[in-house]
């Protein structure tokens, strides 16, 4: 099995490596590659940094671009053809080196490039699109993909509106560290210096620490004496220092020990609907999406609310009310946790293994 990811945030890589781990554990050979290793460094740097810049400093521009690409255009088709020419040779070489029976993509751009290769007959083995987001954009799917896998039936329903190939809701691919191997709540709280009856709120901004008005969000929660607030700043040292300076709650930078924080938490407040949200659902922590980032963040929030696994308050006052409700033993909290728990009833690798064993269908 060859899994194609991309080093853009943590979500795509996290899903790819977890799928590879499960496949290897089941006795299959699995290799993860980074799409960006197939492209010149300058192009990768421009792609990644322009994305990061827009999210931080020009979110309106990113939102308009996201909406623009709901429609096919000559400029988009030209861009995709160019990227196929740039990366295609390396991708096909990796497929041959891995002797892959199936290729799995966890990154939308990789899916589109591989889909083009499949449609041209250059990729001869089945192509699986593992969609890591709840929100489905037309550019997260491709008509020549053989099988699409999603994290929830809501996402599967939306994906079926764009493609004719099978779409299966398998649930997220998250590490057992945030589910079956999660530390005991009491032990996690003791290690973090938290009391058993604290109402613990994690405010997270992804691995890049991206988001608008995060200090304001943290202040609204941290100034409420009912809550103990811990802000996870990712790799954004400037945000971490700013929050430490004002003294709003506890602050953490990048950590590899997220399971401990999740085990100790009652609620996470996030803004992207990415990997941490999926991990929180796995860890049975209530999820709140507040002021989601443009584009996929807003799309994810809307889909997660439809799925019943997330709350999305619109104002700071509503945020405090929702967090109060979700840190207490309420029907709303119980319903949300039950809906989130149901996402993990299936094994995500089963359809991948099944299609790898089938005779490859004709490319479309």
């Amino acid at each position: 099995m060859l899994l194609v990811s991309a080093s853009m945030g943590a979500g795509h890589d996290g899903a790819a490596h977890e799928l590879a781990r499960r496949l290897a554990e089941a006795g299959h050979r699995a290799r993860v590659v980074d799409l960006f290793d197939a492209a010149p460094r300058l192009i990768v740097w421009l792609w990644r940094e322009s994305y990061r810049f827009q999210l931080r400093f020009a979110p309106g521009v990113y939102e308009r671009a996201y909406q623009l690409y709901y429609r096919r255009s000559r400029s988009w088709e030209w861009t995709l053809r160019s990227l196929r020419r740039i990366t295609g040779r390396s991708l096909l070489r990796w497929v041959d080196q891995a002797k892959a029976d199936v290729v799995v993509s966890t990154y939308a751009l990789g899916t589109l490039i591989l889909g083009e290769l499949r449609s041209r007959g250059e990729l001869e083995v089945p192509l699986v699109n593992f969609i890591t987001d709840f929100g489905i954009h037309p550019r997260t799917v491709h008509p020549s993909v053989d099988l699409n896998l999603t994290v929830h039936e809501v996402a599967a329903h939306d994906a079926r509106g764009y493609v004719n190939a099978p779409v299966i809701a398998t649930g997220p691919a998250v590490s057992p560290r945030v589910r079956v191997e999660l530390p005991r709540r009491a032990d996690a709280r003791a290690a973090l210096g938290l009391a058993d009856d604290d109402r613990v709120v994690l405010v997270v901004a992804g691995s890049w620490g991206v988001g608008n008005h995060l200090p304001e969000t943290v202040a609204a929660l941290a100034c409420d004496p009912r809550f103990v607030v811990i802000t996870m700043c990712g790799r954004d040292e400037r945000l971490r220092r700013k929050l430490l300076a004002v003294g709003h709650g506890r602050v953490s930078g990048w950590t590899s020990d997220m399971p401990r924080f999740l085990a100790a938490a009652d609620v996470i407040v996030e803004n992207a609907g990415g990997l941490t949200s999926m991990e929180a659902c796995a860890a049975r922590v209530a999820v709140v999406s507040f002021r989601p980032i443009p584009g996929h963040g807003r799309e994810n929030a809307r889909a997660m609310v439809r799925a019943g696994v997330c709350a999305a308050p619109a104002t700071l006052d509503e945020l405090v009310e929702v967090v109060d409700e979700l840190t207490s033993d309420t029907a709303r909290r119980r319903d949300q946790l039950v809906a989130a728990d149901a996402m993990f009833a299936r094994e995500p690798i089963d359809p991948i293994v099944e299609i790898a064993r089938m005779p490859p269908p004709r490319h479309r």
Side-chain angles (χ1 to χ4, degrees):
M1 318 281 183
L2 183 72
L3 297 101
V4 180
S5 181
S7 48
M8 288 281 283
H12 310 289
D13 277 345
H17 285 284
E18 177 57 22
L19 290 170
R21 186 196 67 79
R22 296 187 189 199
L23 287 164
E25 196 173 74
H28 305 283
R29 289 184 295 109
R31 177 188 176 191
V32 178
V33 295
D34 188 337
L35 173 67
F36 290 164
D37 287 341
R41 290 183 180 179
L42 178 59
I43 291 178
V44 172
W45 183 86
L46 289 171
W47 185 271
R48 185 185 289 123
E49 293 307 313
S50 65
Y51 173 67
R52 194 196 308 252
F53 178 86
Q54 288 178 70
L55 287 182
R56 288 192 174 184
F57 304 111
V61 173
Y62 181 72
E63 176 68 25
R64 287 192 291 274
Y66 186 88
Q67 296 300 329
L68 175 65
Y69 285 118
Y70 260 90
R71 303 185 300 273
R72 294 197 73 90
S73 65
R74 290 182 179 179
S75 63
W76 172 251
E77 291 173 358
W78 178 87
T79 300
L80 190 54
R81 283 197 303 272
S82 299
L83 291 171
R84 173 183 55 78
R85 294 189 185 105
I86 292 169
T87 62
R89 183 175 299 177
S90 292
L91 287 167
L92 294 172
R93 184 177 70 251
W94 292 336
V95 173
D96 289 341
Q97 289 173 346
K99 296 182 173 58
D101 297 307
V102 63
V103 176
V104 181
S105 172
T106 63
Y107 181 56
L109 183 59
T111 298
L112 296 175
I113 294 171
L114 289 161
E116 290 295 297
L117 293 172
R118 186 89 172 109
S119 69
R120 293 165 56 89
E122 297 178 66
L123 177 62
E124 297 179 346
V125 299
L127 173 59
V128 176
N129 179 20
F130 189 89
I131 304 171
T132 59
D133 282 339
F134 259 85
I136 303 297
H137 186 280
R139 304 287 86 83
T140 59
V141 294
H142 191 283
S144 292
V145 165
D146 297 280
L147 175 65
N148 298 276
L149 306 179
T150 68
V151 297
H152 193 277
E153 183 55 40
V154 163
H157 174 271
D158 293 345
R160 293 184 190 112
Y162 295 117
V163 294
N164 295 320
V167 183
I168 301 173
T170 62
V174 298
S175 168
R177 293 181 64 217
V178 296
R179 193 159 175 85
V180 297
E181 299 172 9
L182 197 70
R184 291 177 59 249
R185 176 184 172 93
D187 294 341
R189 290 198 163 200
L192 295 172
L194 299 167
D196 288 343
D197 60 351
D198 283 341
R199 299 165 73 179
V200 180
V201 182
L202 292 186
V203 179
V204 299
S207 61
W208 285 357
V210 173
N212 290 327
H213 311 296
L214 270 172
E216 186 181 9
T217 300
V218 173
L221 294 169
C223 291
D224 191 311
R226 292 173 294 181
F227 311 130
V228 175
V229 177
I230 306 173
T231 305
M232 313 301 291
C233 298
R235 293 188 171 90
D236 190 336
E237 276 298 304
R238 184 173 61 175
L239 174 63
R240 190 181 71 85
R241 289 193 298 267
K242 183 175 182 177
L243 292 175
L244 284 172
V246 296
H248 287 155
R250 297 169 58 171
V251 182
S252 175
W254 173 259
T255 178
S256 60
D257 198 17
M258 198 64 188
R260 188 187 303 276
F261 286 92
L262 288 172
D266 297 298
V267 168
I268 71 160
V269 178
E270 57 82 41
N271 64 358
L275 177 63
T276 304
S277 298
M278 306 300 172
E279 292 179 337
C281 289
R284 301 175 177 88
V285 178
V287 178
V288 176
S289 183
F290 186 64
R291 291 175 173 167
I293 61 176
H296 63 282
R298 295 173 185 171
E299 192 113 59
N300 284 340
R302 289 190 291 267
M304 291 174 74
V305 169
R306 287 166 53 204
V309 302
C310 172
T315 67
L316 286 170
D317 288 342
E318 289 180 13
L319 171 65
V320 173
E321 291 176 7
V322 167
V323 169
D324 179 35
E325 193 171 5
L326 290 177
T327 53
S328 305
D329 185 17
T330 59
R332 181 175 189 173
R333 174 182 172 84
R334 291 192 294 272
D335 289 347
Q336 186 172 313
L337 295 182
V338 167
D341 208 44
M343 295 184 350
F344 300 91
R346 301 189 67 170
E347 172 51 67
I349 69 166
D350 285 350
I352 298 172
V353 173
E354 183 178 350
I355 197 171
R357 288 172 173 165
M358 295 171 59
R362 292 182 178 181
H363 59 79
R364 290 176 290 279

